Amino acid sequence: MSRGSVELYLGGADRDRLDPILDACVATYKEQLDEDGQVTSRARPRRSRRSYDFLASILPYTNADWEKLSIFLTFWCPSCRRG
């Protein structure tokens, strides 16, 4: 699911096409995890995204999948808090 949403984003899709995909991801996350699991599952991606953003700023670009994951998490993390 994240790969498709990132491809849409990179292709210039509007938020009205992206938000339903993110909403489905958030719904799955909330259905499958209790509150403690949700807290843990939000913290790990945020840390990973911050670490990746830092490393990407100082190392040469070599992994498109990591970049796509970072883009997805940039949208997913705030969606989990608001939903």
Side-chain angles (χ1 to χ4, degrees):
M1 176 96 43
S2 68
R3 187 176 304 261
S5 61
V6 170
E7 295 299 331
L8 286 172
Y9 171 76
L10 293 173
D14 293 329
R15 287 299 297 254
D16 62 338
R17 290 189 63 201
L18 297 171
D19 285 342
I21 297 169
L22 289 169
D23 292 344
C25 292
V26 171
T28 299
Y29 153 84
K30 289 187 175 197
E31 290 168 5
Q32 293 183 2
L33 298 172
D34 62 13
E35 189 173 333
D36 290 335
Q38 290 176 16
V39 170
T40 300
S41 293
R42 276 193 313 262
R44 288 180 184 158
R46 277 196 314 263
R47 282 193 306 263
S48 295
R49 193 184 80 232
R50 287 180 188 138
S51 296
Y52 174 77
D53 290 346
F54 170 73
L55 291 172
S57 71
I58 61 172
L59 297 173
Y61 177 80
T62 58
N63 194 323
D65 288 334
W66 288 0
E67 181 67 23
K68 290 176 183 178
L69 179 59
S70 178
I71 292 168
F72 174 76
L73 292 175
T74 297
F75 289 102
W76 182 79
C77 289
S79 296
C80 288
R81 284 194 305 267
R82 72 177 154 96

